[in-house]
Amino acid sequence: SNDKVYFFAENRDGEDAFIFESDTSKIDIVAGSVGPGGYSDTDENQAALGAGLETVFQVTEDASGDLLIFENQRIRKISLTTEALEPKISTVLDFSHIANFPVSKTIRDMVYDASTSTVYFSCSDATVYKASLVAGASQYDFSGTSLSGTIRLALIPDHLLVLQTERDRILAVER
């Protein structure tokens, strides 16, 4: 919405992880740190620049123009708009507080519906889940449809889009 692109990058060893902001003239670092990556609760509500980042899947803007980053087991917010002079980082949703959350699975992609505080995610075993603090986590049942390979997700009104990249197929599932 602000004509900028946000992206995540880290070195090959998973260290020196940063979120960058780019427009047509420059690239700036908006969050992250040098050294071993990883979440630390001491980063909560502290400066985003210097915060540890871990396995970032996606970076997106919320309705206010702040950033939501989808990390390993949580969604975090970087207050780029609401605290523009010194953006802070905070946890929006920690999946460890969600009943039935499949902690042993490796998440590959996520989308978040802020209006319902619901996260949708796909795992490395081609399973897809819906999770919220209120309802807990549940796996989608694709009876009669075989999912395999890399699964990407997107939200449209009332539906979750499930993209099977290897099969060039998109399934629309009611949310």
Side-chain angles (χ1 to χ4, degrees):
S1 68
N2 62 9
D3 295 328
K4 295 182 180 182
V5 174
Y6 298 93
F7 59 95
F8 170 77
E10 64 187 357
N11 70 14
R12 291 183 196 164
D13 298 327
E15 297 184 358
D16 303 342
F18 293 95
I19 305 272
F20 296 90
E21 171 186 86
S22 177
D23 60 20
T24 57
S25 63
K26 66 183 183 319
I27 297 175
D28 291 319
I29 298 171
V30 297
S33 64
V34 173
Y39 169 80
S40 171
D41 59 1
T42 60
D43 290 339
E44 279 300 304
N45 299 306
Q46 299 300 316
L49 196 53
L53 302 174
E54 177 181 20
T55 315
V56 174
F57 299 103
Q58 187 176 12
V59 179
T60 189
E61 286 183 81
D62 68 10
S64 69
D66 288 334
L67 293 185
L68 293 176
I69 59 172
F70 299 84
E71 279 189 304
N72 189 21
Q73 297 284 324
R74 66 194 51 81
I75 298 172
R76 295 169 85 188
K77 178 179 180 174
I78 299 172
S79 58
L80 278 185
T81 303
T82 56
E83 299 177 284
L85 294 178
E86 187 180 347
K88 304 230 181 320
I89 192 164
S90 60
T91 299
V92 173
L93 182 62
D94 183 338
F95 302 151
S96 68
H97 300 295
I98 295 176
N100 304 317
F101 188 82
V103 293
S104 63
K105 302 243 182 176
T106 303
I107 298 172
R108 293 290 184 220
D109 194 29
M110 276 187 232
V111 291
Y112 181 64
D113 182 349
S115 68
T116 62
S117 297
T118 303
V119 65
Y120 302 84
F121 57 95
S122 63
C123 300
S124 58
D125 62 355
T127 53
V128 178
Y129 287 82
K130 173 183 182 176
S132 72
L133 288 173
V134 175
S138 59
Q139 183 176 340
Y140 273 99
D141 180 9
F142 293 97
S143 297
T145 302
S146 172
L147 296 182
S148 62
T150 302
I151 305 295
R152 302 288 300 176
L153 305 172
L155 294 175
I156 60 172
D158 301 323
H159 286 82
L160 170 68
L161 298 181
V162 179
L163 169 64
Q164 289 185 269
T165 56
E166 283 84 4
R167 293 186 180 201
D168 295 327
R169 175 169 67 176
I170 299 173
L171 305 172
V173 180
E174 283 189 35
R175 294 194 268 154

